[in-house]
Each structure stands twice: as C-alpha cells, then as structure tokens.
Amino acid sequence: MKFIEHIKSWTLVCLLVTSVTACTSETRHSANNEVEEFSTWVDENSRRAETATEEEWNEMEAEYNRKATEVEKRSADWDDQTKAEWEKVQAKWQETVGRSGARFRATEGEMEFDTAQDSIE
C-alpha cells in the first residue's frame, strides 16, 4: 500500500513540475514573440520614416513609445537572446530618430533659406 502512495505522490509532483515548466516556457515564448513582432514593426516603420511627413513621423514616434512600453512590461520573461534583440531594436529606432530629425532640420533650413532668398529679391 505504501508503494502505491509513493507512486501517487511522485506522479503528482511530476505533474505539478510539468505544468509549472510548461506555463513558464509558454510565457517566455509569448514574450519573445512580442519582441520579434515589435522588431518587425520597427523595421517597417524605419523604412517608412525616410519619406514620412513630420505629422506622420510624430504619429510613428507616439506609436513606438506606446508599443515599446507595452512590450517592455514583459521584460522579466525574456531570455538572453530576446534581451539582446531588444537592445538591437532600440538602437535601430534611435538611428531612425536621428536620421528623421536631421531630415526635418534640413528641410526647415531649406525653407528658411528660400524665405530669405524671396525677401532679398
């Protein structure tokens, strides 16, 4: 009888460990997928930012901030590879911010130059 009770106890322990491990693995996988999806969004919008108007760019930045905040809430569930991917995604977006900012400043400079030229003539 004790042998059967030991088997039941071990079976219960194994089931609990399996379910906890499965939940943790599923949670980690889900969090990793969110970073991958966000990375895809950043790639697409980085290309789009090259020709976006300032209004469109402002909308992209707001959406980036919203999405980044949501994804980062799950950072405790990330593995090392996902953390590295997150750093790459953030660096890519910062490059996009720099390029877009430079483009808008250059456009403003051209507009100011054209206005100054018009007033001289």
Side-chain angles (χ1 to χ4, degrees):
M1 194 68 173
K2 286 202 176 241
F3 179 72
I4 292 176
E5 285 183 30
H6 284 294
I7 290 177
K8 287 180 181 178
S9 296
W10 277 107
T11 303
L12 181 59
V13 168
C14 288
L15 286 172
L16 287 172
V17 168
T18 302
S19 69
V20 167
T21 304
C23 289
T24 302
S25 177
E26 184 178 315
T27 300
R28 180 163 284 128
H29 182 71
S30 175
N32 294 350
N33 280 343
E34 287 178 358
V35 173
E36 288 176 23
E37 290 171 6
F38 185 65
S39 178
T40 300
W41 183 91
V42 166
D43 288 342
E44 291 170 359
N45 284 281
S46 289
R47 285 189 298 273
R48 194 174 133 224
E50 294 174 11
T51 58
T53 65
E54 197 163 356
E55 184 178 328
E56 291 170 330
W57 170 248
N58 291 336
E59 290 172 9
M60 276 188 257
E61 272 195 306
E63 188 171 357
Y64 171 87
N65 291 331
R66 184 186 58 76
K67 286 178 177 283
T69 300
E70 286 298 313
V71 172
E72 203 165 20
K73 285 180 183 177
R74 305 265 317 262
S75 63
D77 297 327
W78 296 347
D79 58 19
D80 290 339
Q81 182 179 352
T82 303
K83 289 175 185 174
E85 178 68 21
W86 179 252
E87 295 297 324
K88 285 175 27 182
V89 167
Q90 287 184 313
K92 181 168 187 156
W93 187 254
Q94 289 309 309
E95 290 173 13
T96 302
V97 168
R99 284 193 314 272
S100 295
R103 183 170 62 89
F104 291 128
R105 282 190 302 276
T107 302
E108 287 173 6
E110 289 172 7
M111 290 170 55
E112 289 173 7
F113 179 74
D114 289 344
T115 302
Q117 286 293 331
D118 290 343
S119 66
I120 292 173
E121 296 171 352

